[in-house]
Amino acid sequence: MIIKQAELETVCGVTSTLPEHDAPEFAFAGKSNVGKSTLINGLMNRKNLARTSSQPGKTQTINFYRINQEFYFVDLPGYGYAKVSEAEKAKWGKMIERYLAKSRTLRTVFLLIDIRHEPGANDKLMYDWVCQSGFTPVIVATKLDKIKRSQKDKQVKLIRTALGCGSDVRIIPYSSMTKQGRDEILSFMEEHMGEPEKGE
């Protein structure tokens, strides 16, 4: 898949109505500071279209990026940032829950986990949430360039064990430096573009 065109089309806050369309959606979820915006920019071949921030917990909206006029990347609010109030976290949780329940064209949720660390309680919660919403998440193990090559398999196994993933769950190690994993993610999207919509 070649991405020729990408634009931020819709930004939804807590009270916004989610957009309705027929185009496939691929959502990205992950802890604040896991490299979500960096991954989305890397997939789109853009430097700054997805908003990166030196302050974790900055993404407080659901952002819809229209790709090639054919499908969407959906950037969900980052979770698990300690300096955000419990009330704020609850709001973001409701936004994500509403999106997972209401999107009829969502094909896959990519759940980002930092490959250097064992997934935390929030990661496990998000993983279970996605599964309970009827989706099998694809795990993107980010920051691959931060570990030695010899550690990769061990860390992937750690993620799989901690989340309780079955063998059907795909884990794709990703490096924003070398773009390793980029082609695999885009190929996965291409394969799942034409899947039936939820409820069909």
Side-chain angles (χ1 to χ4, degrees):
M1 180 196 290
I2 297 170
I3 292 183
K4 297 178 178 173
Q5 194 179 10
E7 59 181 330
L8 177 59
E9 186 176 279
T10 310
V11 175
C12 289
V14 177
T15 58
S16 305
T17 303
L18 292 167
E20 289 189 27
H21 50 246
D22 298 325
E25 294 176 352
F26 296 92
F28 297 85
K31 198 182 284 182
S32 299
N33 226 13
V34 75
K36 192 154 49 70
S37 298
T38 304
L39 169 68
I40 293 170
N41 281 325
L43 293 174
M44 295 190 296
N45 259 336
R46 301 290 189 276
K47 279 193 177 170
N48 297 309
L49 187 55
R51 303 156 184 182
T52 54
S53 173
S54 55
Q55 293 174 272
K58 197 81 174 167
T59 306
Q60 301 177 23
T61 52
I62 299 178
N63 300 331
F64 291 77
Y65 297 90
R66 190 161 176 81
I67 311 296
N68 291 350
Q69 297 294 316
E70 292 172 2
F71 62 98
Y72 287 89
F73 286 171
V74 182
D75 185 6
L76 300 174
Y79 56 81
Y81 187 52
K83 288 188 184 175
V84 174
S85 72
E86 290 303 319
E88 202 66 25
K89 284 180 193 169
K91 271 191 215 166
W92 298 355
K94 282 196 173 67
M95 283 170 72
I96 295 172
E97 188 178 31
R98 184 166 59 111
Y99 170 72
L100 291 175
K102 292 206 167 176
S103 172
R104 288 185 55 78
T105 60
L106 177 59
R107 298 292 188 260
T108 305
V109 178
F110 291 93
L111 177 57
L112 279 62
I113 306 284
D114 188 329
I115 198 167
R116 298 172 297 176
H117 309 298
E118 182 175 346
N122 284 314
D123 295 316
K124 180 79 174 87
L125 201 63
M126 191 71 207
Y127 174 79
D128 291 343
W129 210 358
V130 173
C131 293
Q132 285 160 18
S133 298
F135 300 96
T136 301
V138 172
I139 309 300
V140 179
T142 62
K143 313 206 179 192
L144 178 61
D145 42 275
K146 307 277 190 190
I147 62 169
K148 292 177 183 166
R149 194 176 294 179
S150 60
Q151 294 177 296
K152 183 185 82 170
D153 290 346
K154 184 181 123 205
Q155 293 306 111
V156 166
K157 188 178 178 186
L158 177 72
I159 290 170
R160 190 177 291 283
T161 304
L163 292 178
C165 296
S167 56
D168 59 325
V169 174
R170 196 156 172 176
I171 299 180
I172 303 175
Y174 176 79
S175 164
S176 62
M177 302 285 286
T178 66
K179 298 294 185 285
Q180 183 178 334
R182 180 180 186 271
D183 289 347
E184 192 177 343
I185 294 168
L186 291 174
S187 294
F188 182 91
M189 289 179 176
E190 202 160 27
E191 287 165 25
H192 292 79
M193 198 79 74
E195 287 185 351
E197 293 183 8
K198 193 158 64 171
E200 282 190 4

